[in-house]
Amino acid sequence: MGARLYLVGPPERTSAVAGELAAGRLGIREFADLEEFLDAAFAAPPRAAVVWDCLPSEALDAAFDVFRHHFCSKDCAVLLVNCGASAPVPCSWGVHAVLREPVDVGKLREALDECSEAGVELGSGIPRVLVVDDDPSVVLLGSHVVSSIGMIPLVAFDGAEAIEKAKRIRPDLVLLDINMPHMDGFAVIEALKADPLTSLVPIIVFSARKDDEDKVRALHLGADDYVTKPFSVMELGARIDRLLQRTRTGVQASSTTGLPGSLSVEQALVERIRSRAPLAVVYLDLDHFKSFNDRYGFTRGDSVIRQTADILLEAVQGMGNPDDFVGHIGGDDFVVLTSPSRAVPVAEAVIARFERVIPLYYDSDDRRRGHILSEDRRGWQTSFPLMSLSIAIATNESREFTHPGEVADVAAQLKRYAKSRAGSVWVKDKRANDENGS
């Protein structure tokens, strides 16, 4: 990979930094336009991007979101320059370091070096393990174990830092101590499992506490394994490797998004039907995804699927209930199990974010035209619109479901109607009420 550094912000600010860095070995490019920056990043991914937060906030937010998910750029380091804005940086932006204005080029170089040391490299695909302990010597030992099995160690020294880093970095696994001040490991497990962004990250507890009660509590809260100190380096390495292999091959999770797969969706739906509690089943289907896949290839298509999954998780986190269920049935189909009162707000939040972000996955020419040219199923060259969402909402407000198949039948009818309308649309079962929306 070439040592490219992209500077994105007002020209008078980027040019000052570019001038100070000109004598270095980095190939520097400057961008004042976010869409131009994204096009360049996908064509020639940088080592890192330095972005000024005084750019238009909505466009900046969407650009960051795409940059974090696109297969070409998702592992590039991102450094944010704070121009004095008070708004916090969203975790979904995946910022690796925050610099202050005016930019200290020495600190910028240090931040780039730290990103390289932490394994922030383009397309490495190497698993990242977050090691959490308030004892630096134990963190060092845990990091050594992680490195010895060919994985990248990341570290946190207390519970709050662990949660913040887990949300921002999305590690492949968390190696967690229980005995920590202020916020112990049990509280960390609860917080990670309660957040849709981190709920599926596997956790291994390594602790000096050997009581069966502690082990049972950790496992009950959602930990996947429990290792007592002092531990064998070889044993801990084997447990980490085994758990990650099991996670990758697990039949109940989507390999693309990490969300619960079709079997888990059916089990969750059966449980909620049996409970007879108020239920809304929100089915989401991407329109014109096949033509996008044919035009741009499956790797960019997978980026869109992962992006859609995160849009859905964030919408449920913001507009849904704490116990809502989000699943990936497969392909471009998703499902949310929520309450009837939350279904429409979730659907509208998903559509709003999808419409703002997903067009950025298209090349600029296709995006400006508003359509792409691709072959249809008969091999004829056809114009296809940009992707949109069809969302079907089936509820038990005025009907009783006794089996998942009944829900699927209602949703299939609603989706057919939604797909007959242009653009992104949500449709709610008319037999429950007369609502439908777009």
Side-chain angles (χ1 to χ4, degrees):
M1 179 183 68
R4 288 181 286 266
L5 177 65
Y6 290 174
L7 308 177
V8 191
E12 66 277 8
R13 298 175 188 257
T14 61
S15 59
V17 173
E20 290 191 59
L21 289 171
R25 294 177 297 171
L26 293 171
I28 299 171
R29 293 186 62 183
E30 299 176 58
F31 302 90
D33 180 81
L34 285 162
E35 293 191 21
E36 183 183 352
F37 154 66
L38 287 178
D39 286 344
F42 302 156
R47 173 190 175 188
V50 181
V51 185
W52 276 254
D53 69 1
C54 51
L55 291 167
S57 59
E58 187 171 305
L60 183 62
D61 181 38
F64 258 105
D65 215 352
V66 174
F67 192 77
R68 282 274 60 82
H69 288 82
H70 197 285
F71 75 98
C72 280
S73 57
K74 64 186 181 68
D75 292 317
C76 297
V78 176
L79 282 63
L80 186 72
V81 178
N82 186 281
C83 299
S86 58
V89 178
C91 290
S92 61
W93 283 12
V95 172
H96 298 95
V98 177
L99 306 171
R100 301 295 175 183
E101 183 88 337
V103 176
D104 183 321
V105 173
K107 290 183 178 179
L108 170 58
R109 291 186 185 277
E110 289 176 7
L112 291 173
D113 290 340
E114 288 174 4
C115 288
S116 295
E117 291 172 6
V120 183
E121 295 291 347
L122 174 64
S124 66
I126 301 173
R128 298 174 187 174
V129 177
L130 180 61
V131 183
V132 187
D133 199 304
D134 63 317
D135 186 339
S137 64
V138 177
V139 169
L140 183 62
L141 179 57
S143 298
H144 169 70
V145 173
V146 171
S147 299
S148 70
I149 56 177
M151 299 177 186
I152 298 168
L154 306 167
V155 303
F157 294 97
D158 60 53
E161 183 185 8
I163 293 169
E164 185 275 328
K165 284 193 172 180
K167 289 181 179 181
R168 176 164 55 87
I169 299 171
R170 310 279 187 91
D172 297 278
L173 183 142
V174 174
L175 192 58
L176 175 68
D177 184 29
I178 292 295
N179 291 324
M180 293 186 294
H182 310 302
M183 186 179 199
D184 66 17
F186 296 125
V188 174
I189 297 172
E190 286 186 290
L192 293 179
K193 293 303 176 182
D195 192 326
L197 295 175
T198 55
S199 63
L200 294 174
V201 176
I203 299 172
I204 295 179
V205 171
F206 66 138
S207 174
R209 296 165 71 159
K210 300 181 180 181
D211 293 345
D212 288 342
E213 183 180 342
D214 290 324
K215 296 178 184 179
V216 170
R217 183 182 176 190
L219 295 171
H220 180 72
L221 288 173
D224 297 271
D225 202 351
Y226 195 107
V227 180
T228 56
K229 301 175 185 175
F231 51 81
S232 160
V233 170
M234 290 182 62
E235 179 190 358
L236 181 58
R239 287 174 181 265
I240 293 171
D241 192 47
R242 183 193 65 182
L243 180 54
L244 282 175
Q245 287 185 19
R246 191 176 74 199
T247 302
R248 293 189 200 102
T249 59
V251 296
Q252 296 195 30
S254 161
S255 60
T256 303
T257 62
L259 291 176
S262 57
L263 180 59
S264 295
V265 170
E266 184 173 354
Q267 291 172 341
L269 186 52
V270 167
E271 290 173 5
R272 300 205 178 202
I273 289 173
R274 287 175 177 170
S275 75
R276 298 180 181 273
L279 172 65
V281 184
V282 183
Y283 283 90
L284 297 91
D285 184 17
L286 272 67
D287 303 320
H288 313 297
F289 177 71
K290 182 182 182 302
S291 59
F292 177 90
N293 236 12
D294 292 344
R295 168 74 172 81
Y296 292 109
F298 72 91
T299 48
R300 199 184 294 199
D302 282 351
S303 300
V304 168
I305 295 299
R306 286 190 293 270
Q307 177 80 71
T308 303
D310 276 359
I311 289 173
L312 187 53
L313 285 169
E314 289 164 12
V316 170
Q317 187 177 36
M319 307 303 296
N321 306 296
D323 62 345
D324 285 350
F325 177 93
V326 181
H328 182 193
I329 300 172
D332 57 356
D333 293 309
F334 297 85
V335 68
V336 176
L337 307 184
T338 185
S339 59
S341 64
R342 297 288 87 207
V344 171
V346 167
E348 291 181 339
V350 171
I351 287 176
R353 185 70 174 170
F354 187 95
E355 293 286 296
R356 197 159 57 241
V357 170
I358 295 301
L360 295 174
Y361 281 88
Y362 290 83
D363 288 350
S364 54
D365 289 344
D366 290 338
R367 190 164 57 242
R368 281 192 290 269
R369 280 195 299 266
H371 66 266
I372 61 175
L373 295 175
S374 184
E375 290 186 354
D376 62 17
R377 287 180 169 83
R378 294 171 294 181
W380 294 354
Q381 191 85 339
T382 306
S383 173
F384 292 94
L386 303 189
M387 283 180 287
S388 57
L389 283 175
S390 291
I391 301 179
I393 303 173
T395 80
N396 63 358
E397 290 172 290
S398 62
R399 70 168 77 241
E400 181 180 0
F401 292 121
T402 61
H403 188 273
E406 296 172 339
V407 182
D409 287 343
V410 172
Q413 297 173 32
L414 295 171
K415 280 206 297 184
R416 280 196 294 272
Y417 174 67
K419 285 182 173 292
S420 70
R421 302 172 65 183
S424 292
V425 176
W426 63 262
V427 179
K428 192 173 180 181
D429 188 0
K430 289 185 176 180
R431 282 166 287 187
N433 53 50
D434 292 324
E435 286 189 273
N436 64 79
S438 60

